[in-house]
Amino acid sequence: MEKTFLMIKPDGVQRGLIGEIVKRFEQKGFQLVASKLMVINRELAELHYAEHKGKDFFELLVKFITSGPVFAMVWEGDQVIALSRTMIGKTNSLEAAPGTIRGDFAVHTRLNLIHGSDSPESAEREIGNFFKPEEFVTYNKAI
Ligand code: CMP
């Protein structure tokens, strides 16, 4: 079963949107298999955003993502990587469609509430950056 890494950013946590965002993925039919509320240090931020190093927004991005608690999650389900990206909406705030998380709740390209892995390779790398194997749960059939 496919897994993806999703992270509610400091603006989403501060605005009390954890419940709203988690609800959307639950209602879609995906399963939460790992999660934690945590503060990211600079080292982890640079690792997570390594592909953006050198871009003009990199420093502000690192400052923002380390500015307060984030809610890191791993979700499992059929095509969860691509479908969660659709549910999140475009990065550019002007292109995030209504009905998506960013389209409904965000107005800023950097303060855009949530991160989602963009490919199977990114998902594997990002999950490994944030979670150890023992932090995952398995679900048994309800009794
Ligand atoms: P995310 O999905 O976490 O991946 C990289 C992040 O960089 C992105 O969300 C935005 O928060 C941020 N980002 C991407 N492009 C820009 C930009 N042009 N200006 C500011 N921030 C950006």
Side-chain angles (χ1 to χ4, degrees):
M1 189 74 82
E2 195 170 88
K3 286 187 180 61
T4 196
F5 174 71
L6 303 180
M7 175 172 64
I8 303 177
K9 299 184 184 186
D11 56 335
V13 174
Q14 238 166 44
R15 289 173 58 192
L17 289 172
I18 292 177
E20 169 65 37
I21 292 172
V22 166
K23 183 187 78 177
R24 289 182 176 220
F25 293 104
E26 286 181 326
Q27 289 184 343
K28 183 74 174 169
F30 297 132
Q31 207 158 42
L32 185 62
V33 293
S35 69
K36 58 185 161 188
L37 191 64
M38 61 187 286
V39 177
I40 298 181
N41 62 25
R42 185 167 182 105
E43 190 186 356
L44 181 55
E46 290 202 6
L47 189 66
H48 177 66
Y49 284 130
E51 67 181 288
H52 298 295
K53 204 160 188 171
K55 293 186 182 164
D56 57 355
F57 58 83
F58 183 74
E59 271 311 312
L60 280 176
L61 182 60
V62 169
K63 206 167 171 183
F64 164 58
I65 208 70
T66 57
S67 67
V70 300
F71 191 58
M73 304 167 279
V74 180
W75 287 84
E76 194 173 84
D78 276 345
Q79 305 190 80
V80 67
I81 298 172
L83 286 172
S84 59
R85 293 277 294 187
T86 301
M87 292 166 67
I88 287 169
K90 294 265 172 69
T91 305
N92 183 333
S93 55
L94 296 174
E95 295 172 2
T100 65
I101 293 167
R102 288 172 176 164
D104 288 349
F105 299 108
V107 294
H108 198 285
T109 296
R110 178 161 32 86
L111 278 61
N112 60 3
L113 298 173
I114 179 165
H115 168 85
S117 306
D118 62 5
S119 67
E121 296 72 30
S122 305
E124 194 180 344
R125 181 176 65 83
E126 293 170 358
I127 289 169
N129 285 343
F130 280 83
F131 288 96
K132 300 188 192 92
E134 61 266 28
E135 292 177 296
F136 287 78
V137 298
T138 51
Y139 289 83
N140 295 318
K141 283 215 170 80
I143 297 167

